[in-house]
Amino acid sequence: MIQKVKICDTTLRDGQQSLLATRLSLEDILSVAEQMDQIGFYSMEVWGGATFDSCMRFLNEDPWERLRQLRKTIKNTKLQMLLRGQNLLGYRHYADDVVDEFVKRSVANGIDIIRIFDALNDLRNVERSLYATKKEGAHAQVAISYTNSPVHNMNYFVNICKDIKEMGADSICIKDMSGILYPFDAYELVSLIKKATALPVELHCHYTSGMAAMSYLKAVEAGCDILDCAISPMALSASQPADETMIASFAGTKYDTGIDIDALAALAEKFKLIRQEYHKFDLASPQVDPNVLRYQMPGGMISNFISQLREGNALDRLPEVLEEVPRVRADMGYPPLVTPSSQMVGSQALLNVLGGERYKMTTNEIKNYFRGEYGQPPAPVNEQIRKKVIGDEQPITCRPADLLPPQLEAAKNELGVYMETMEDLLSYCLFPQVAKDFLKTRLAGKTNVEFNMVHGAGKPVSYVPI
Ligand code: CO
């Protein structure tokens, strides 16, 4: 039986987000987009994640215009985006009217496939965007945030996948953001999901631990349909396995992708040059970070600890902090370590160690988490710790967005003259300050020829380091 493997190329979203701090300009993207469209990828992940925020915050670019330009240029390949469920592309929950309109405009401006996930795998945070995607006639893929913990066993994930199918998803993605999916676990997980759901399965691994290409191979043997890869100069370390490696590995077998590896050579040369252009944003993460396997936490989290402890002259406390992370995570009911839970767990572990007493100091995010505002944790939280953090307050148990009143009308009044399109309004709902600054500059630019030239060329006006 022929089981052709499909490739989703992530270079223009996750690749650049993981390696170049999401700074690729539209001009550089358009210089390669048509050529990438000719390769024969099943899809290209080009939008969503951090690209939306970054366009306005760092590049003085309209993210919606980027999408329209991409759609105009990429005529053969499906365009894919990453959406954080009820968080959309921002960092908090938005009301349902914003979710519906955002999905509608994403599809109308050119997106074919929307990958939706929730940091806690709480499907109530996914359902609204899933239904909206289906309503707009696009492909709705739901991703599970993969992690290891005493509650995250095969059974747990397979049960979630059954629910995802029940909700009407078109495909399932296993999202291994930390690169901790072991090859033989990948085989088992994909086999079980395929058996339980019969849906197409896509695997998304980061290369961080060095295992991803092996996990891809085992996953394909188990029936995985689609692999997320990036062009070689934009692959490995914190990014995905390389297109070329995976395509060559399956060439001439029953899994053959049908993609000609020679066609990628010229493209790779171009990306080598592009990556050099952005060297000051190059995150230069290690090729393989074995600490990810030792501590089961994302590479970015460990390097954050190191830089924060170094700043406070407390680098010798690193082992204590690394030991505190699993304890905090257990207190919180084992959230997967992905945005925003990885930041919450990380800062609380630091506070617990440096503050001298556990949970003497807490962040607002942790308080909101224990109030149930992020959704239901994978396992019950530690009741004693919850009492210490929020006292006698009763946590909510409903879908968090049920408590949010509609937002669009009020936002329209706030934005006033700066709003030219519905897309502007959505940008504002997600990132009020950043979008307003961007839209103000745009309006001013309409009377300023020089500015228009800079903007029109798609070159960043100012860089702000993150
Ligand atoms: Co990713």
Side-chain angles (χ1 to χ4, degrees):
M1 197 181 84
I2 296 193
Q3 188 206 327
K4 216 174 126 171
V5 169
K6 300 186 181 89
I7 302 289
C8 162
D9 182 275
T10 61
T11 308
L12 299 180
R13 204 288 296 175
D14 208 350
Q16 63 134 337
Q17 183 174 326
S18 301
L19 299 176
L20 301 177
T22 333
R23 292 308 210 283
L24 273 197
S25 72
L26 179 60
E27 188 189 26
D28 284 329
I29 288 174
L30 291 179
S31 75
V32 286
E34 208 177 331
Q35 206 175 336
M36 292 180 84
D37 186 33
Q38 302 303 322
I39 298 295
F41 296 126
Y42 164 72
S43 65
M44 287 166 65
E45 191 197 43
V46 294
W47 209 63
T51 62
F52 192 91
D53 182 10
S54 178
C55 271
M56 290 187 291
R57 193 184 296 266
F58 302 122
L59 306 175
N60 194 30
E61 250 188 52
D62 184 345
W64 298 98
E65 182 55 23
R66 172 179 288 201
L67 176 55
R68 285 188 287 271
Q69 293 283 337
L70 281 164
R71 181 73 287 173
K72 218 170 84 184
T73 317
I74 300 171
K75 298 186 179 83
N76 308 301
T77 315
K78 292 188 173 79
L79 294 185
Q80 188 166 327
M81 72 173 289
L82 178 68
L83 192 82
R84 281 192 288 269
Q86 204 75 22
N87 293 169
L88 298 174
L89 305 178
Y91 304 105
R92 63 179 192 83
H93 281 156
Y94 300 100
D96 288 336
D97 63 337
V98 178
V99 172
D100 292 347
E101 196 61 36
F102 194 90
V103 168
K104 185 176 169 186
R105 299 287 160 165
S106 302
V107 176
N109 282 289
I111 289 291
D112 299 297
I113 302 171
I114 305 190
R115 173 180 296 169
I116 309 161
F117 80 101
D118 176 64
L120 299 178
N121 291 313
D122 183 343
L123 294 179
R124 297 171 310 167
N125 293 334
V126 162
E127 60 184 33
R128 190 75 185 201
S129 29
L130 168 68
Y131 299 149
T133 305
K134 296 293 289 178
K135 185 166 169 255
E136 298 309 320
H139 178 115
Q141 177 178 79
V142 176
I144 49 170
S145 306
Y146 183 79
T147 189
N148 298 326
S149 90
V151 286
H152 289 92
N153 51 32
M154 293 288 159
N155 226 352
Y156 173 92
F157 285 120
V158 171
N159 282 333
I160 290 185
C161 289
K162 285 182 187 161
D163 292 342
I164 290 172
K165 179 178 171 124
E166 215 35 43
M167 289 165 76
D170 297 303
S171 62
I172 290 174
C173 170
I174 304 166
K175 182 176 161 58
D176 172 25
M177 54 280 171
S178 313
I180 53 174
L181 174 61
Y182 289 72
F184 289 90
D185 288 344
Y187 185 92
E188 195 183 350
L189 186 58
V190 171
S191 308
L192 291 171
I193 295 175
K194 290 296 286 188
K195 206 169 143 207
T197 70
L199 286 176
V201 171
E202 179 158 354
L203 184 54
H204 177 91
C205 291
H206 286 255
Y207 200 79
T208 327
S209 69
M211 296 193 302
M214 290 184 280
S215 299
Y216 278 16
L217 180 63
K218 294 303 290 179
V220 165
E221 285 184 335
C224 182
D225 301 272
I226 312 162
L227 298 173
D228 284 10
C229 304
I231 189 104
S232 53
M234 296 289 286
L236 310 189
S237 59
S239 176
Q240 269 80 61
D243 287 325
E244 297 93 322
T245 311
M246 297 319 304
I247 290 164
S249 300
F250 296 119
T253 73
K254 65 174 176 172
Y255 308 113
D256 199 320
T257 61
I259 296 175
D260 175 13
I261 192 171
D262 288 340
L264 286 159
L267 201 52
E269 286 308 314
K270 283 192 180 175
F271 269 105
K272 268 186 206 162
L273 298 176
I274 290 177
R275 186 158 177 184
Q276 278 165 19
E277 259 182 64
Y278 288 84
H279 66 94
K280 58 178 175 171
F281 299 112
D282 208 311
L283 303 174
S285 36
Q287 284 303 314
V288 169
D289 184 354
N291 282 331
V292 167
L293 294 174
R294 288 175 64 205
Y295 302 113
Q296 303 289 308
M297 58 184 91
M301 207 167 155
I302 303 168
S303 43
N304 269 349
F305 286 146
I306 294 175
S307 67
Q308 287 183 44
L309 288 168
R310 188 175 283 144
E311 254 171 49
N313 266 332
L315 197 52
D316 57 316
R317 312 288 300 269
L318 181 64
E320 287 168 77
V321 175
L322 292 173
E323 275 170 31
E324 179 62 8
V325 168
R327 284 195 290 262
V328 171
R329 208 175 153 224
D331 294 337
M332 292 170 69
Y334 300 103
L337 296 174
V338 62
T339 303
S341 46
S342 52
Q343 290 84 344
M344 283 189 235
V345 173
S347 23
Q348 194 57 49
L350 272 172
L351 287 173
N352 286 357
V353 169
L354 300 178
E357 183 192 326
R358 303 186 77 224
Y359 299 96
K360 191 167 88 180
M361 286 180 287
T362 51
T363 60
N364 274 335
E365 286 77 16
I366 286 281
K367 288 193 182 86
N368 292 338
Y369 181 92
F370 279 102
R371 287 180 183 124
E373 286 178 17
Y374 287 90
Q376 192 185 0
V381 302
N382 180 326
E383 280 304 317
Q384 266 177 316
I385 299 296
R386 196 188 75 194
K387 275 219 147 60
K388 188 159 184 186
V389 175
I390 61 167
D392 288 333
E393 256 183 81
Q394 265 315 322
I396 61 164
T397 52
C398 64
R399 185 184 74 114
D402 283 340
L403 303 173
L404 299 174
Q407 279 178 280
L408 283 177
E409 275 310 310
K412 210 182 264 180
N413 294 332
E414 286 166 26
L415 194 51
V417 292
Y418 302 116
M419 175 184 165
E420 288 177 22
T421 61
M422 182 52 92
E423 283 79 358
D424 295 340
L425 183 63
L426 290 164
S427 302
Y428 175 74
C429 286
L430 263 59
F431 298 100
Q433 198 53 53
V434 173
K436 204 166 190 175
D437 289 348
F438 168 77
L439 295 170
K440 260 186 198 172
T441 314
R442 186 179 70 182
L443 193 64
K446 295 214 156 141
T447 53
N448 180 334
V449 177
E450 201 182 333
F451 176 83
N452 262 338
M453 281 168 61
V454 177
H455 184 207
K459 274 287 174 200
V461 168
S462 66
Y463 286 122
V464 181
I466 55 166

